[in-house]
Amino acid sequence: MEQLTIKTSTHDYPVVIDQGLRFKLKSFLNKDYPSIYIITDSNVAPLYLDDVYNALKANYHVSYSIVPAGEESKSSRVYFDLMTQLIEAGVDRDGLVIALGGGMIGDLAGFVAASYLRGIDYIQMPTTILAHDSSVGGKVAINHPLGKNLIGAFYPPVAVLYDVETLQTIPFQEIRSGYAEIAKHSMIHTPPFWEQIKPVTLDESLSDATLIRDLIHGINVKAAIVERDEKEANIRQFLNFGHTLGHAIESELGYGKMTHGEAVAIGMLFAMELSEQYFSVTLPIEAFHNWLKRNDYPLTLPRLSVNQLMTRMKRDKKTKNQTIKMVLLKTLGEPVIIDMEDRSLRQQLEAFLEKMVIR
Amino acid sequence: MEQLTIKTSTHDYPVVIDQGLRFKLKSFLNKDYPSIYIITDSNVAPLYLDDVYNALKANYHVSYSIVPAGEESKSSRVYFDLMTQLIEAGVDRDGLVIALGGGMIGDLAGFVAASYLRGIDYIQMPTTILAHDSSVGGKVAINHPLGKNLIGAFYPPVAVLYDVETLQTIPFQEIRSGYAEIAKHSMIHTPPFWEQIKPVTLDESLSDATLIRDLIHGINVKAAIVERDEKEANIRQFLNFGHTLGHAIESELGYGKMTHGEAVAIGMLFAMELSEQYFSVTLPIEAFHNWLKRNDYPLTLPRLSVNQLMTRMKRDKKTKNQTIKMVLLKTLGEPVIIDMEDRSLRQQLEAFLEKMVIR
C-alpha cells in the first residue's frame, strides 16, 4: 500500500494506492455516515459497482446512480438529475458521495458533492489512469456547451482511494489517455522523470509494477503543486501544460472523438514547439513524438478552423484580458506561463496544424 | 458611514452601510477588474441599474443581465442562462459579479459567481431589508423543485455594499419581510435587542435612523455568528430560528404567495410555542404576536397538509437521520438545536395550524 497526504486550506486527505481497495472501503471511512451515495457510469457499474456496494451495505444506507459513460454526462441535465436523486434518496448534510469511475465521474460527482446542500463529503475512487490526475486536487466541474469545465468549484475530497486492480480492465485507448498526463507530469517536473517514461511501451508488456511506479510519481508531482497553490492562482496553472490547445481540439472535434489525453498529447507537442522558438532551447520533441507514435497515439488531425481554435483558446480559464496564456517550458522541468501575442500564436498554430494534417 | 469587517477562512470582507453608495462604487473595488458583470432583476433594474452602471462604465468593461423579479428566477434554467451570458460577455477568472437586488438576486448571482470558472469575486449590493440577512455570510444557492436552496455553496463575497437609499422605494410588504429577520436576530440575541424592535411600527412613521439602527444591529448579530461558524457546523444553525416551518410553508403555498419573512414570522411563532412547552418557560409570544398583528403580517393560513409540511421539514438541510431539528429558545437570546420527535411535533403542528386557520 502506498499512501500520501494532501494538505488543503480546509482539511488534509489521504491518497491511498493499493490492490483490492474496493473490498476494504469501510476501513477508510472516518465518519459514521448516515447515507452513502455512489455515482458511477455505465462502463464501470457492471465491473465494480457490486464490489463497492457490497463492501458497505452491511453497515451503511447505500444508494447509487449509474449515468451513461462518456463526456456527454458532464452536462447540466445529468447534474440536476443527480441532485434530484440525492434529494429523493434522503441524503443529508452528513451524507457521503463516492465517485466511482474515471475523470468524468470524478468531476461530475465531485461537483454534485460540492453543491448539494452547499457541500457534502465525497471520496474519489478513480478507475482509470487518467484519473490519477483529476482525482487529486479538488477541481470539480461540469461542461457548458461553450466550453469544458466552465461550471465548477475547488472542493477537495475527503479521500482518494485508488484501487489499481480496476485499471486492469481499461482499454489501451484509455491507457494512452492516462499516460499522456503522466508524461505531462514528467515534463513539468525535474528530470529524470521523463527518462523513466520514455522507454515505457503501452501494450501487453506494461507491468503493474511499472504502472504503479509511474502513477505514484505522477500523483506526487501533482500533489506537490496543488498543495502550494490550491485555487490555481499561479503555479497550479503549470498542470495545464498541453491543455490550452488540447481542450480546444477536444471541443472542436466534439467530445469523444479523441480522448482527453490524446488531445493533450498533441497540445504538448505544440507547446514544446512554441517553447523551443520562444526560449531558443532544444526540447525532446523528437523523442516525445516517437514515444507517441510507438504507442499508437493519433498524430494526424482533420482540417480544423484556426479561427475557431483561437476563439476556444480564448475561453480557456487561464485567459485574462483576452490574452491567451500558454504554459511553455524554459527547459524540461521548468514550466512558465507566457502571455501569447495573438498574431504570432495564430501563425504558429497554422503551421503546426498543417504538419498534423499531412504528417 | 457604518462599516464592519467579516472574517472568513479565505479572506476578510467589509460590510459598508451608507447613503448613496451606488454612486461611489469605484472607491470600494480593490482590484483592477478587467470585466464586471451586474446581475439584477426586473424590479430593481429600472430604479438603480443605471446608477451602478454609470458609476463604473468609465473605468471598467461592464455588462449586465436582468432576470425576472421573484423567487422563480432562483432556478436551474436562469442559473445556466446567466452562465452562458457571462461566457459570451468574455468574463474571465479575474472578473467581478455584482449582485444588485434583494435576497433572491444575492443568492442566485452569488452561486453564479461561486461556480463560474470554479469561482470568481462578487459583491453584494442588497436593495431590501431582508437582504441585510442573506447578503452577509456567504451562503448562496438556487432552488430545486423539491426544496429551497438545495443547490449552492458557502462562498463569501469580497464586499457587501448596502446603500440604504435603495430601501426607500421598497413596498411595505418587503419591509415586513425584512423586519421579520431583524426580529429573529433580536430573539436569538441577548436582550434588550427585542425591546428595541417591539415598539417599531412599520408604516410611514418608520424613520431612516430607526431602520439603519436596526439593520446594523441585525447585521452585527449575524456577523458574530457566521464568523464563529462559517460553514454551519453548529451555532450558525441558530440563524434558522423560525425557518424550519417557515421554509415548509413557503414552498407548500408556492413561492411568492407569502414573503419569506412573513412565512418565517409564522415559523417563529410556532418555534416559540414549542419552546415554551419544551423548556417550561414563558416567552414574549403575545408581544410578538401583537407586533406582527399591528404591522399587518398575515396571521392566517389556508388549510395545509400536515403530512406535506412534515415531509418538507424533513428535507430541511439541518435534518439528520430523518430527524427534524428545530431551533428553540431556552429563553430570549439563548437558542438551542433540538431533535424533535416526529409524533409530538406532528401533534403540535396540527394544533398550531388549527389556530392559524381560525385565528
Side-chain angles (χ1 to χ4, degrees), chain A residues 16-278:
Chain A
V16 186
I17 302 160
D18 200 4
Q19 299 184 314
L21 276 181
R22 67 193 183 285
F23 301 113
K24 324 174 219 177
L25 275 178
K26 220 165 58 87
S27 56
F28 294 99
L29 303 189
N30 53 4
K31 267 194 220 168
D32 186 21
Y33 293 106
S35 61
I36 296 180
Y37 203 97
I38 306 165
I39 298 176
T40 190
D41 73 25
S42 53
N43 283 347
V44 175
L47 299 169
Y48 308 115
L49 178 56
D50 277 357
D51 295 343
V52 173
Y53 186 83
N54 290 331
L56 297 169
K57 72 169 179 194
N59 300 80
Y60 298 93
H61 176 75
V62 189
S63 318
Y64 59 84
S65 287
I66 302 169
V67 305
E71 189 76 11
E72 293 73 23
S73 283
K74 267 175 68 175
S75 69
S76 58
R77 196 185 51 74
V78 174
Y79 165 76
F80 272 96
D81 284 353
L82 286 170
M83 287 293 178
T84 306
Q85 287 156 30
L86 264 76
I87 296 166
E88 288 177 346
V91 177
D92 67 27
R93 278 187 175 177
D94 283 337
L96 172 75
V97 165
I98 294 180
L100 175 66
M104 181 281 279
I105 284 294
D107 280 5
L108 171 68
F111 187 50
V112 165
S115 51
Y116 181 70
L117 309 183
R118 298 201 179 88
I120 64 173
D121 283 358
Y122 76 112
I123 286 177
Q124 293 275 17
M125 289 196 65
T127 60
T128 64
I129 300 174
L130 185 60
H132 88 279
D133 182 40
S134 53
S135 66
V136 173
K139 277 169 77 168
V140 295
I142 56 174
N143 298 329
H144 187 282
L146 294 175
K148 260 190 95 145
N149 296 331
L150 296 185
I151 301 174
F154 292 98
Y155 193 77
V158 295
V160 179
L161 304 178
Y162 210 153
D163 184 345
V164 286
E165 280 178 8
T166 64
L167 301 176
Q168 287 162 359
T169 48
I170 63 178
F172 276 109
Q173 197 188 30
E174 293 299 324
I175 293 179
R176 273 199 297 279
S177 185
Y179 253 93
E181 293 282 1
I182 297 181
K184 177 201 78 180
H185 286 135
S186 81
M187 288 193 189
I188 62 172
H189 190 254
T190 38
F193 188 8
W194 162 243
E195 297 302 322
Q196 174 186 309
I197 301 299
K198 202 164 67 176
V200 173
T201 300
L202 307 178
D203 60 14
E204 293 72 18
S205 72
L206 178 67
S207 71
D208 273 12
T210 301
L211 174 58
I212 293 176
R213 175 200 67 183
D214 294 342
L215 279 177
I216 291 170
H217 212 142
I219 290 173
N220 270 304
V221 171
K222 171 113 189 207
I225 289 178
V226 299
E227 278 195 354
R228 284 169 58 204
D229 178 23
E230 192 180 341
K231 304 264 171 90
E232 199 162 278
N234 42 65
I235 61 162
R236 186 164 178 164
Q237 298 188 9
F238 295 163
L239 296 167
N240 284 309
F241 179 58
H243 282 63
T244 316
L245 180 60
H247 275 161
I249 289 175
E250 244 187 311
S251 51
E252 192 59 18
L253 287 176
Y255 297 124
K257 296 293 190 315
M258 189 176 263
T259 66
H260 176 68
E262 288 168 347
V264 167
I266 292 173
M268 286 163 73
L269 276 178
F270 180 56
M272 289 168 90
E273 282 194 9
L274 285 180
S275 303
E276 284 201 341
Q277 296 211 8
Y278 198 93

Side-chain angles (χ1 to χ4, degrees), chain B residues 170-177 202-206 262:
Chain B
I170 64 179
F172 276 108
Q173 196 187 33
E174 293 298 323
I175 292 178
R176 274 198 298 279
S177 185
L202 306 178
D203 59 15
E204 291 72 17
S205 71
L206 178 67
E262 288 168 347

